[in-house]
Amino acid sequence: MDGIKYAVFTEKSLRLLGKNQYTYNVESGFTKTEIKHWVELFFGVKVVAVNSHRLPGKGRRIGPILGHTMHYRRMIITLQPGYSIPLLDREKN
């Protein structure tokens, strides 16, 4: 759970939900097999494929000091038909 930062909700990721594909930002040091194993254990689903790409960090300037944010990795996880991951838990009051 420590490696996955958050779920991504962009136009593309919402379109991929129809294909049973979920998008997450994860720490850059994790591999595809580690993420696949973790998702299968934590959510109790069967993962068919894991695609990833590395997003670069953005440049930042604070006065005369130049810096940058950390880069991260985005994983697109494809599940077998019939499985799903609950994205948002909504409680009814």
Side-chain angles (χ1 to χ4, degrees), residues 15-63:
R15 188 175 63 242
L16 290 175
L17 285 175
K19 298 178 182 179
N20 212 17
Q21 295 179 336
Y22 296 85
T23 308
Y24 291 97
N25 284 346
V26 299
E27 296 288 333
S28 62
F30 282 88
T31 63
K32 291 181 182 182
T33 55
E34 290 172 341
I35 294 297
K36 178 181 177 180
H37 180 69
W38 183 88
V39 168
E40 287 179 344
L41 284 178
F42 188 75
F43 292 113
V45 297
K46 295 291 182 183
V47 177
V48 175
V50 177
N51 297 350
S52 70
H53 59 277
R54 184 181 158 276
L55 297 166
K58 296 179 180 179
R60 297 285 184 222
R61 174 186 286 274
I62 301 175

Side-chain angles (χ1 to χ4, degrees), residues 74-87:
R74 183 166 288 170
M75 296 281 185
I76 300 173
I77 300 167
T78 306
L79 303 181
Q80 281 186 354
Y83 289 96
S84 64
I85 296 176
L87 293 176

